Amino acid sequence: MLNMLVLELSFTPPPSMITFLLSATSNSILDRAIDSEEAQHHDFLRLEHIEGYHELSAKTKIYFSTAVGKWDADFYVKVDDDVHLNLGVFTSTLAHYRSKPRVYIGCMKSGPVLADKNVKYHEPEFWKFGEDGNKYFRHATGQIYAISKDLATYISINQVSSHLC
């Protein structure tokens, strides 16, 4: 299952590269197709991770640990597979932040906690956010974000098992 597009952006040679990040699948036909494409294009990074909604933070930490160990890049970028990205504009934007330490560039959100079970993205643990009508605190969302090399390294070094988060 294609989960996200990953960019390793480097402003010095070698040039930036695009990699497709995958978690483990249980579909042997899909696995063979991925193996075939990987042999041809060398553009997949497979994680030793089983996909699941409650495992997203583990997947992110595994990705950063793997990417930092595998590639020397100025930024590591995660983009969901359903997001359109203008790579030229995005790369130009990141270039302005290259000399800054511990950079996170991405989407932030806040808003009402969705407690109604009939809405698409309801919060099953809505009660943790207080009374009805409460709002989420401003927090990062995962559709697209970029982090600098030093921030990715920090995450890699300080990762904690996902069941502790």
Side-chain angles (χ1 to χ4, degrees):
M1 169 191 271
L2 175 64
N3 303 117
M4 63 180 86
L5 171 67
V6 177
L7 308 170
E8 289 79 32
L9 294 176
S10 180
F11 294 97
T12 57
S16 301
M17 55 190 235
I18 298 174
T19 304
F20 298 96
L21 181 64
L22 302 166
S23 294
T25 74
S26 59
N27 182 330
S28 61
I29 295 170
L30 179 59
D31 285 337
R32 285 193 300 275
I34 291 168
D35 290 342
S36 175
E37 184 168 334
E38 172 59 16
Q40 184 178 3
H41 299 286
H42 309 289
D43 60 357
F44 286 121
L45 171 62
R46 284 183 152 168
L47 298 179
E48 294 298 322
H49 168 76
I50 303 298
E51 192 65 30
Y53 180 76
H54 294 291
E55 296 298 323
L56 295 176
S57 62
K59 177 177 163 184
T60 301
K61 291 182 278 188
I62 292 167
Y63 159 64
F64 285 123
S65 293
T66 303
V68 167
K70 187 172 176 111
W71 298 294
D72 182 23
D74 295 307
F75 289 94
Y76 299 91
V77 181
K78 180 257 182 192
V79 183
D80 282 354
D81 60 356
D82 60 350
V83 172
H84 173 77
L85 178 64
N86 182 324
L87 192 54
V89 171
F90 191 65
T91 303
S92 295
T93 301
L94 290 178
H96 294 291
Y97 294 94
R98 186 170 172 218
S99 63
K100 307 276 188 218
R102 298 172 303 280
V103 174
Y104 165 87
I105 298 173
C107 299
M108 302 293 285
K109 77 173 190 176
S110 61
V113 176
L114 303 175
D116 182 356
K117 292 180 183 179
N118 296 318
V119 295
K120 184 173 182 179
Y121 297 108
H122 85 280
E123 176 62 62
E125 296 181 330
F126 65 91
W127 54 271
K128 290 182 177 180
F129 296 93
E131 301 296 320
D132 283 340
N134 200 359
K135 298 187 181 297
Y136 288 109
F137 53 90
R138 182 159 305 280
H139 64 284
T141 63
Q143 295 88 353
I144 178 172
Y145 58 86
I147 64 173
S148 59
K149 179 180 184 175
D150 58 342
L151 187 53
T153 301
Y154 177 85
I155 292 169
S156 175
I157 292 169
N158 294 291
Q159 74 170 320
V160 179
S161 298
S162 63
H163 67 276
L164 298 177
C165 296

